[in-house]
Short mmCIF file of all heavy atoms in Angstrom, two decimals:
data_model
loop_
_atom_site.label_atom_id
_atom_site.label_comp_id
_atom_site.label_asym_id
_atom_site.label_seq_id
_atom_site.Cartn_x
_atom_site.Cartn_y
_atom_site.Cartn_z
N ALA A 5 39.92 134.79 126.68
CA ALA A 5 40.39 136.07 127.20
C ALA A 5 41.47 135.88 128.25
O ALA A 5 42.34 136.74 128.45
CB ALA A 5 39.23 136.83 127.84
N LYS A 9 47.58 134.99 129.90
CA LYS A 9 47.71 135.94 131.01
C LYS A 9 48.79 135.50 132.00
O LYS A 9 49.51 136.32 132.53
CB LYS A 9 46.36 136.12 131.74
CG LYS A 9 45.40 137.00 130.99
CD LYS A 9 46.02 138.40 130.90
CE LYS A 9 45.07 139.36 130.25
NZ LYS A 9 45.73 140.64 129.95
N ASN A 13 51.94 137.87 132.83
CA ASN A 13 52.23 138.35 134.20
C ASN A 13 53.64 137.94 134.66
O ASN A 13 54.29 138.78 135.34
CB ASN A 13 51.17 137.77 135.15
CG ASN A 13 49.84 138.46 135.02
OD1 ASN A 13 49.74 139.64 134.63
ND2 ASN A 13 48.77 137.74 135.32
N LEU A 14 54.11 136.77 134.26
CA LEU A 14 55.45 136.38 134.59
C LEU A 14 56.48 137.30 133.92
O LEU A 14 57.48 137.69 134.54
CB LEU A 14 55.71 134.94 134.18
CG LEU A 14 54.97 133.89 135.02
CD1 LEU A 14 55.07 132.50 134.34
CD2 LEU A 14 55.47 133.83 136.44
N LYS A 16 55.92 140.43 132.93
CA LYS A 16 55.80 141.71 133.57
C LYS A 16 56.61 141.77 134.89
O LYS A 16 57.34 142.73 135.13
CB LYS A 16 54.33 142.03 133.87
CG LYS A 16 54.14 143.37 134.56
CD LYS A 16 52.67 143.60 134.87
CE LYS A 16 52.51 144.88 135.70
NZ LYS A 16 51.24 144.99 136.34
N VAL A 21 61.68 143.68 137.71
CA VAL A 21 62.97 143.47 138.34
C VAL A 21 64.11 144.10 137.55
O VAL A 21 64.95 144.82 138.09
CB VAL A 21 63.24 141.96 138.53
CG1 VAL A 21 64.67 141.68 138.97
CG2 VAL A 21 62.29 141.35 139.51
N LYS A 24 64.78 148.01 137.72
CA LYS A 24 65.44 148.60 138.88
C LYS A 24 66.84 149.13 138.46
O LYS A 24 67.42 149.89 139.22
CB LYS A 24 65.56 147.60 140.00
CG LYS A 24 64.18 147.27 140.60
CD LYS A 24 64.23 146.25 141.67
CE LYS A 24 62.84 145.95 142.20
NZ LYS A 24 62.83 144.87 143.19
N TRP A 30 60.62 149.85 130.36
CA TRP A 30 59.68 149.00 129.63
C TRP A 30 58.31 149.61 129.64
O TRP A 30 57.98 150.43 130.48
CB TRP A 30 59.67 147.55 130.13
CG TRP A 30 59.16 147.41 131.53
CD1 TRP A 30 59.82 147.57 132.68
CD2 TRP A 30 57.81 147.08 131.89
NE1 TRP A 30 59.02 147.34 133.76
CE2 TRP A 30 57.76 147.05 133.30
CE3 TRP A 30 56.63 146.82 131.16
CZ2 TRP A 30 56.59 146.76 133.98
CZ3 TRP A 30 55.48 146.53 131.86
CH2 TRP A 30 55.45 146.52 133.27
N ARG A 32 54.00 148.47 128.66
CA ARG A 32 52.97 147.52 128.23
C ARG A 32 51.94 148.30 127.43
O ARG A 32 51.08 148.96 128.02
CB ARG A 32 52.34 146.83 129.44
CG ARG A 32 51.15 145.95 129.11
CD ARG A 32 51.58 144.58 128.70
NE ARG A 32 50.53 143.63 128.78
CZ ARG A 32 49.89 143.14 127.70
NH1 ARG A 32 50.22 143.55 126.51
NH2 ARG A 32 48.92 142.27 127.84
N ASP A 35 46.09 146.76 124.60
CA ASP A 35 45.66 145.90 123.49
C ASP A 35 44.13 145.91 123.41
O ASP A 35 43.48 146.63 124.13
CB ASP A 35 46.20 144.49 123.70
CG ASP A 35 45.75 143.82 125.00
OD1 ASP A 35 44.83 144.33 125.65
OD2 ASP A 35 46.28 142.76 125.31
N GLY A 54 69.99 151.25 125.43
CA GLY A 54 69.78 151.97 124.19
C GLY A 54 69.19 151.16 123.06
O GLY A 54 69.01 151.65 121.96
N LEU A 56 66.06 149.02 121.48
CA LEU A 56 64.64 148.80 121.57
C LEU A 56 64.31 147.36 121.21
O LEU A 56 64.77 146.88 120.16
CB LEU A 56 63.85 149.73 120.68
CG LEU A 56 62.34 149.56 120.67
CD1 LEU A 56 61.75 149.89 122.06
CD2 LEU A 56 61.71 150.46 119.61
N ILE A 59 58.56 142.58 122.35
CA ILE A 59 58.37 141.23 122.82
C ILE A 59 56.90 140.88 122.74
O ILE A 59 56.07 141.57 123.32
CB ILE A 59 58.84 141.05 124.27
CG1 ILE A 59 60.32 141.41 124.40
CG2 ILE A 59 58.58 139.63 124.75
CD1 ILE A 59 60.80 141.50 125.84
N GLN A 63 51.54 131.74 125.02
CA GLN A 63 51.46 130.66 125.98
C GLN A 63 50.79 129.47 125.31
O GLN A 63 49.76 129.62 124.62
CB GLN A 63 50.70 131.09 127.22
CG GLN A 63 50.63 130.01 128.29
CD GLN A 63 50.05 130.57 129.58
OE1 GLN A 63 50.11 131.73 129.88
NE2 GLN A 63 49.46 129.66 130.37
N THR A 64 51.34 128.29 125.55
CA THR A 64 50.76 127.07 125.00
C THR A 64 50.95 125.95 126.04
O THR A 64 51.95 125.92 126.74
CB THR A 64 51.38 126.68 123.67
OG1 THR A 64 50.77 125.46 123.19
CG2 THR A 64 52.88 126.48 123.73
N PRO A 71 50.56 126.76 117.93
CA PRO A 71 49.62 126.80 116.80
C PRO A 71 49.72 128.13 116.04
O PRO A 71 49.87 129.18 116.64
CB PRO A 71 48.25 126.65 117.48
CG PRO A 71 48.53 126.06 118.80
CD PRO A 71 49.87 126.56 119.21
N HIS A 72 49.58 128.04 114.72
CA HIS A 72 49.60 129.27 113.90
C HIS A 72 48.50 130.23 114.34
O HIS A 72 48.70 131.44 114.27
CB HIS A 72 49.41 128.93 112.42
CG HIS A 72 50.58 128.20 111.84
ND1 HIS A 72 50.53 127.57 110.61
CD2 HIS A 72 51.85 128.01 112.28
CE1 HIS A 72 51.69 127.03 110.36
NE2 HIS A 72 52.51 127.26 111.33
N ASN A 74 47.71 131.11 117.14
CA ASN A 74 48.11 131.92 118.34
C ASN A 74 48.91 133.17 117.94
O ASN A 74 49.13 134.03 118.79
CB ASN A 74 49.00 131.07 119.29
CG ASN A 74 48.18 130.05 120.04
OD1 ASN A 74 47.09 129.65 119.61
ND2 ASN A 74 48.70 129.58 121.13
N ALA A 89 63.49 148.50 110.79
CA ALA A 89 63.86 149.86 111.19
C ALA A 89 64.90 149.88 112.30
O ALA A 89 65.31 150.92 112.75
CB ALA A 89 62.62 150.62 111.61
N ARG A 92 64.87 145.13 117.81
CA ARG A 92 64.91 143.67 117.92
C ARG A 92 63.46 143.23 118.21
O ARG A 92 62.79 143.89 119.02
CB ARG A 92 65.83 143.22 119.05
CG ARG A 92 67.28 143.58 118.79
CD ARG A 92 68.21 143.04 119.84
NE ARG A 92 67.81 143.56 121.17
CZ ARG A 92 68.50 143.38 122.27
NH1 ARG A 92 69.60 142.68 122.25
NH2 ARG A 92 68.06 143.83 123.41
N CYS A 93 63.01 142.19 117.57
CA CYS A 93 61.63 141.75 117.69
C CYS A 93 61.60 140.23 117.96
O CYS A 93 62.08 139.45 117.12
CB CYS A 93 60.83 142.06 116.44
SG CYS A 93 60.76 143.84 116.09
N ILE A 95 59.49 136.71 119.64
CA ILE A 95 58.31 135.99 120.15
C ILE A 95 58.81 135.15 121.31
O ILE A 95 59.76 134.33 121.16
CB ILE A 95 57.68 135.11 119.06
CG1 ILE A 95 57.40 135.91 117.77
CG2 ILE A 95 56.42 134.43 119.61
CD1 ILE A 95 56.48 137.11 117.93
N TYR A 98 55.81 130.63 126.24
CA TYR A 98 55.81 129.91 127.53
C TYR A 98 55.05 128.60 127.34
O TYR A 98 53.90 128.58 126.96
CB TYR A 98 55.11 130.74 128.58
CG TYR A 98 55.05 130.10 129.94
CD1 TYR A 98 56.19 129.68 130.60
CD2 TYR A 98 53.81 129.92 130.59
CE1 TYR A 98 56.13 129.11 131.84
CE2 TYR A 98 53.76 129.35 131.84
CZ TYR A 98 54.92 128.91 132.45
OH TYR A 98 54.85 128.35 133.70
N ASP A 109 63.63 135.15 117.21
CA ASP A 109 63.37 136.31 116.36
C ASP A 109 62.06 136.13 115.63
O ASP A 109 61.71 135.01 115.20
CB ASP A 109 64.54 136.45 115.38
CG ASP A 109 64.40 137.64 114.49
OD1 ASP A 109 64.83 138.73 114.87
OD2 ASP A 109 63.80 137.48 113.41
N ARG A 124 60.98 122.56 118.65
CA ARG A 124 62.03 121.70 119.20
C ARG A 124 63.41 122.15 118.88
O ARG A 124 64.32 121.97 119.69
CB ARG A 124 61.80 120.22 118.80
CG ARG A 124 60.70 119.57 119.59
CD ARG A 124 60.49 118.13 119.17
NE ARG A 124 59.89 118.13 117.85
CZ ARG A 124 59.37 117.08 117.26
NH1 ARG A 124 59.40 115.91 117.89
NH2 ARG A 124 58.79 117.13 116.07
N LEU A 126 64.56 125.00 119.00
CA LEU A 126 64.88 126.10 119.90
C LEU A 126 65.05 125.55 121.33
O LEU A 126 64.20 124.81 121.81
CB LEU A 126 63.81 127.16 119.90
CG LEU A 126 63.34 127.65 118.52
CD1 LEU A 126 62.20 128.63 118.64
CD2 LEU A 126 64.51 128.29 117.78
N SER A 127 66.11 125.95 121.99
CA SER A 127 66.34 125.42 123.34
C SER A 127 65.36 126.04 124.32
O SER A 127 64.91 127.16 124.15
CB SER A 127 67.76 125.71 123.78
OG SER A 127 67.99 127.11 123.84
N LEU A 131 62.94 131.92 132.31
CA LEU A 131 62.76 133.34 131.90
C LEU A 131 63.91 134.20 132.37
O LEU A 131 64.33 135.08 131.64
CB LEU A 131 61.41 133.85 132.50
CG LEU A 131 61.00 135.21 132.06
CD1 LEU A 131 60.81 135.29 130.56
CD2 LEU A 131 59.69 135.60 132.77
N GLU A 133 66.92 133.47 132.41
CA GLU A 133 68.02 133.25 131.49
C GLU A 133 67.85 134.02 130.17
O GLU A 133 68.81 134.31 129.48
CB GLU A 133 68.24 131.77 131.21
CG GLU A 133 68.63 130.95 132.41
CD GLU A 133 68.58 129.47 132.17
OE1 GLU A 133 67.64 128.98 131.49
OE2 GLU A 133 69.51 128.77 132.64
#
Side-chain angles (χ1 to χ4, degrees):
K9 283 296 184 189
N13 286 332
L14 290 169
K16 179 183 174 196
V21 169
K24 292 178 181 175
W30 66 275
R32 172 84 163 106
D35 60 11
L56 179 64
I59 302 170
Q63 182 172 333
T64 180
H72 291 167
N74 288 21
R92 294 184 304 187
C93 298
I95 308 301
Y98 180 56
D109 181 88
R124 284 179 288 192
L126 310 176
S127 62
L131 187 58
E133 296 170 319

